[in-house]
Amino acid sequence: MDKPTESFQLEKKVSIPTTERKALVIGVSEYDHDDIQKLEFCRNDGEKVRETLQAISYRVSEDNKLIGRVEFDKMRDTIYDFFDNTNTKADDTLLFYYSGHGVPDTDGDVYLATSEIDPDSPYRRGFSFNELTKMMNNSSSTKVVAILDCCYSGAAKIAKGVGKGGEDAAAKIGNAAIDDKSTNLTKNKGICLLAASQAAQEAYSLKEGNYSIFTHYLLEGLKGDEKAVDANGNVTAETLGKYVHRSIVNLPPDKRPKQTPIRKIEVGDEIVVAEYPQLAKGKKEQENVLTEKGCFFIAPIAEGNSEWRKRSERVFHEIIEPVGKESHYRVDYNPSSELGLTLSQLIEHLYSDGIFIADLTGNNPYVLYELGLCHAFRKHVIQIRDSSFDMAAAQIDWPGE
């Protein structure tokens, strides 16, 4: 008699790792100190950013939504827990968003304000930007995006004694500090920083609806504005940063913040922030997008209310920009009065754009220096010069072969 065949089924359980998109959203609108202005639009910023991120598949837990009044201990511990999480995988996307006051200190750092911050001693109840860069560097994720929308008050002792320009001075110092400290971000790790700095009164006057102007364009990009979407239908850290930057610097002078947004990207692989497959371009159109013609306008560096700055604005908006659009060129212009920020933006364009226009009127030394960089990169440069202060008299000098 044959032995009955034993029947059995082997079940092999395979654990398939899944990646997540997680976000920490902070919008601080309430402040205890009399010298720190309440910012109701920061509450609106935080609520709308959270809503938008959740709509595009980000997980924003209740613990990772700090909006309105935010105490120091809670904000500090939440930031630490967000970046230092053993459950975070290398391919997870981490997005950190902060809207509120930024307070610079005499040590060259800038602090993200909690509701309890003392503007004269921000290190006591503020979260250091330098500490934030450390947390980003040490995270297990290789896809980290930090977005800072900071307003600055003239109350900080670093900006006292400068009269009505106190808030503007604080914003300028804070912007420079973030730009400087962001050099500590680990190269090629997969980190993107987008940061805006405005004086508090300027931020109120330049609002778009119920949101700050920076967050307004950030939201438009996250929601899939076609100018923020690449040929594959993705909003990446790079396309989002460029979209927000261009949208702001190309605004009319009376609508544009004085400080140019900071954009730093240290990536190994591309960071996809949002996906809109329905906006993906066809093959031929994709090739055209990938070879999009870019042009950058180099203008004299000057303060915002100076005659030179006003003249540069007119040259750009009345001559350069219309001609660029007619010729199907994307034209960018950085009106910052700070050489360091201007150069950092120029270098980014040296890697991506094919044509540069340099305004040599007045033989501005900064323009000549940037022109030299363009030649060093073997870029095509159109040099223009006004024979008078009349815009209609501007002439174009074509360089020789």
Side-chain angles (χ1 to χ4, degrees), residues 225-240:
D225 186 292
E226 62 178 10
K227 294 179 181 178
V229 179
D230 69 9
N232 297 312
N234 296 326
V235 178
T236 68
E238 184 173 5
T239 62
L240 179 63

Side-chain angles (χ1 to χ4, degrees), residues 90-105:
D91 288 332
D92 287 348
T93 301
L94 300 184
L95 190 149
F96 173 82
Y97 172 85
Y98 173 85
S99 177
H101 275 289
V103 182
D105 198 14

